Amino acid sequence: MMQRNTWQRDAVREALEEVDGFVSAQGLHANLLESGSRIGLATVYRTLTRLAALGEADTLQSQDGENLYRACSTGHHHHLICRSCGLTVEIGADAVEIWAQRVATENGFTDPAHVVDVFGLCPACTAAATSTAHP
């Protein structure tokens, strides 16, 4: 089914592309309002959900269960995500791809799909944590 582009979808897509890392629907809505948009929060939620379904946005769930979104590149990829600042780096993971295919095949499954997000501390947050731990 062909989806028509609306000014709301364009506004959400553009705002999402301006954010570094992942953002909640509420955070993106606040950014939109700050820039003068009159878009509603429910529209932001619906649009983000649709963009994720179309593969135009990545989504993950925060530790408190909130969905977070970010604009993504095309094609299959994985993420390294800083638990402290939210910095997100897209990564390839050939070993994961091979493993997923092997495990699926061994169990009689075909067409495997998976999501891999690796959480840790980025170099800047690691350095900041180290400097505060050792004054």
Side-chain angles (χ1 to χ4, degrees):
M1 178 171 79
M2 183 72 164
Q3 290 287 317
R4 70 176 200 260
N5 268 345
T6 62
W7 70 266
Q8 294 97 332
R9 181 171 296 154
D10 289 341
V12 169
R13 187 181 291 119
E14 288 171 17
L16 194 59
E17 289 173 356
E18 293 175 7
V19 174
D20 291 328
F22 284 84
V23 65
S24 68
Q26 296 92 341
L28 193 64
H29 181 247
N31 291 352
L32 284 159
L33 293 179
E34 216 171 83
S35 68
S37 177
R38 299 180 337 159
I39 194 168
L41 180 58
T43 301
V44 172
Y45 271 106
R46 279 192 307 273
T47 303
L48 287 171
T49 300
R50 184 69 183 143
L51 291 174
L54 292 170
E56 295 181 36
D58 286 326
T59 183
L60 64 86
Q61 209 167 53
S62 69
Q63 290 180 355
D64 61 357
E66 182 177 28
N67 283 335
L68 303 175
Y69 303 88
R70 81 184 275 277
C72 69
S73 63
T74 58
H76 183 69
H77 58 274
H78 305 283
H79 303 109
L80 285 172
I81 305 163
C82 181
R83 286 190 307 264
S84 181
C85 71
L87 173 69
T88 303
V89 177
E90 290 185 8
I91 58 170
D94 291 342
V96 171
E97 306 306 325
I98 294 166
W99 172 82
Q101 184 63 54
R102 181 177 48 82
V103 168
T105 300
E106 288 172 358
N107 289 281
F109 282 67
T110 61
D111 196 23
H114 59 275
V115 176
V116 176
D117 294 318
V118 179
F119 294 86
L121 293 177
C122 71
C125 290
T126 298
T130 302
S131 68
T132 59
H134 303 288

